[in-house]
Amino acid sequence: MNFNFNFPTRLISGEGCLAANADLLKLGRHALIVTGRSSAKRSGVLDDLLPLLDAAGIAHTIFDQITENPPILTCHAGGQLGHAVGADFVIGIGGGSPLDGAKAIAAFVANPTIAPEEIYDPAKRIAPSLPIIAIPTTAGTGSEANPYSILTLPDGLRKKTFTAPESWPRYSFLDPRYTASLPVSATVSCALDAFAHAIESYLSAKSTVVSEQMALWAAGQIWPILAARPAEYTPAMREALLYAATAAGIAISITGTGFPHPLGYSLTLLDGIPHGRACAIFDGDYITYNARTERGAARLEAFAKAAGTDLDTLARELPALSEVEFSFTEAQIAERVELIAGAKNYANSPYVLSKDEIYEIYRAHFAK
Ligand code: NAP
Ligand code: FE
């Protein structure tokens, strides 16, 4: 039972962990803070962070233009700004969008002359990315614990993952208080995303003893909370969700994700469905198809047990929790399926969907 495991991110967790470890902020002289329009303020991170930077004599510039599903062009602009002000490290604050954006911007600051899509070309992206600190304000993507940066291409219709060896955050500060201001609906969507990471990782042929333990532990933390459908999330629930989402992020750093992820991308970009809900629509299909394979059937049983439930409940409740109800014409279905048909993730599930099956799944959910 061999396994390779490289986890270059130092995770620091707990209430007040930023102030208690302020020395770790000294990664350079000028921080480019990468965030969205409001999350860094609403979560309370900026109020905690800026005095610590001031006290350490570290200058900062705030780039707060990252929108959901970060566009590569916005990240390119952030890179130009970071280069112009002389930033020498990046602090990403927010949900998966700003954290993924921070990883791309860290590469663009170091390579200011490359065109946006040249970020994917290691021959053009010569200089290593700036060091990154991640401070998550959602409990979902696990971006704080992996090197993935999922960017929206300039056509606005497709997502493509960027990663570089230095895209792992150097430090990630996990303070559950920073997720307290996230509205209930977004909290559910993010928990669904983390749960999708756990199940998709656990079934992947690339799973290892480390990713499996992370995935199963995350499942056991997340499912009881999601299933209870709380009207409000207590601090204890938010803490459990944040650490579980990070664990699931470690799991996918080893395995990548399976087919609910690409199936959801079109609905997120074309129809505005939040990422976690868009994945959850297809979790029932994921369970049904994979249960037809030997590996899938055995793993699904073990996964449901770790989550404290049974497979039928998961197959029924996960899509129900997505609360997405749409109907599309055949032309709209074709438009969405064609955009996602080539994704690499399909090969990363025990049952590999054919394009015809992707059409079938889309029709079953959405045909008028
Ligand atoms: P998000 O897109 O980062 O944020 C969603 C919304 O929540 C935004 O309006 C954001 O505000 C707001 N928000 C965030 N934290 C808040 C807080 N504490 N209080 C109040 N509002 C808050 O959501 P996400 O689900 O975390 O990230 C989704 C992105 O992550 C997608 O682009 C997806 O592709 C990517 N992703 C990455 C990975 C990975 O492994 N790297 C895995 C899965 C998904 P602002 O506008 O101010 O930001
Ligand atoms: Fe995800």
Side-chain angles (χ1 to χ4, degrees):
M1 190 193 58
N2 299 333
F3 69 92
N4 302 325
F5 184 50
N6 176 27
F7 188 71
T9 298
R10 180 163 163 194
L11 301 173
I12 301 118
S13 69
E15 285 194 12
C17 62
L18 194 54
N21 296 276
D23 269 2
L24 298 180
L25 294 171
K26 294 174 184 163
L27 281 183
R29 290 191 307 271
H30 192 135
L32 182 68
I33 296 177
V34 174
T35 187
R37 297 258 153 72
S38 69
S39 50
K41 294 191 199 102
R42 283 156 75 189
S43 61
V45 177
L46 273 189
D47 285 345
D48 287 353
L49 176 68
L50 296 186
L52 298 174
L53 290 177
D54 288 344
I58 300 169
H60 71 267
T61 299
I62 298 180
F63 181 73
D64 61 1
Q65 302 300 307
I66 300 288
T67 48
E68 291 182 39
N69 312 299
I72 196 168
L73 297 179
T74 308
C75 296
H76 188 257
Q80 301 293 301
L81 174 69
H83 176 69
V85 300
D88 51 7
F89 71 112
V90 172
I91 303 178
I93 304 171
S97 298
L99 299 191
D100 284 9
K103 295 171 188 173
I105 288 174
F108 282 128
V109 178
N111 297 276
T113 59
I114 62 173
E117 287 183 71
E118 287 177 346
I119 194 175
Y120 295 108
D121 182 352
K124 297 273 169 49
R125 199 190 67 242
I126 299 163
S129 304
L130 300 190
I132 300 159
I133 290 174
I135 309 179
T137 65
T138 66
T141 69
S143 183
E144 65 278 5
N146 68 48
Y148 307 136
S149 163
I150 302 166
L151 306 172
T152 301
L153 294 178
D155 65 12
L157 301 173
R158 289 168 299 145
K159 287 186 167 197
K160 185 171 174 185
T161 302
F162 159 68
T163 185
E166 325 78 47
S167 295
W168 292 89
R170 193 74 64 92
Y171 306 120
S172 288
F173 292 96
L174 316 177
D175 187 331
R177 289 178 311 161
Y178 297 148
T179 68
S181 54
L182 189 68
V184 167
S185 172
T187 303
V188 172
S189 181
C190 290
L192 286 169
D193 186 25
F195 198 77
H197 297 161
I199 193 169
E200 292 170 38
S201 176
Y202 190 63
L203 267 64
S204 164
K206 293 186 235 163
S207 78
T208 69
V209 65
V210 175
S211 69
E212 288 163 10
Q213 294 310 309
M214 291 290 151
L216 294 178
W217 182 76
Q221 296 292 304
I222 297 168
W223 183 250
I225 298 174
L226 267 180
R229 291 180 159 82
E232 294 295 331
Y233 283 77
T234 64
M237 289 174 184
R238 292 203 179 268
E239 181 183 72
L241 290 178
L242 180 60
Y243 299 167
T246 301
I250 296 171
I252 60 168
S253 80
I254 295 169
T255 61
T257 53
F259 72 65
H261 267 73
L263 290 185
Y265 284 162
S266 288
L267 300 171
T268 294
L269 290 183
L270 272 65
D271 307 299
I273 305 299
H275 170 68
R277 289 182 190 277
C279 295
I281 297 171
F282 304 105
D283 283 346
D285 307 297
Y286 185 74
I287 290 170
T288 311
Y289 277 95
N290 283 305
R292 297 178 192 169
T293 67
E294 201 178 322
R295 177 186 176 86
R299 296 244 154 183
L300 284 166
E301 285 299 336
F303 185 84
K305 198 169 162 214
T309 184
D310 57 76
L311 267 187
D312 287 345
T313 304
L314 288 180
R316 189 182 62 243
E317 292 298 316
L318 287 165
L321 279 161
S322 78
E323 292 179 336
V324 173
E325 283 185 28
F326 266 135
S327 57
F328 294 130
T329 63
E330 186 61 24
Q332 288 172 315
I333 288 174
E335 182 189 9
R336 282 154 185 74
V337 170
E338 293 302 326
L339 286 169
I340 53 172
K344 281 189 286 188
N345 314 47
Y346 297 111
N348 196 23
S349 305
Y351 190 98
V352 180
L353 291 179
S354 69
K355 197 165 166 187
D356 285 347
E357 287 163 335
I358 299 173
Y359 267 97
E360 274 169 33
I361 289 172
Y362 255 68
R363 287 193 192 107
H365 285 286
F366 308 120
K368 277 195 168 157

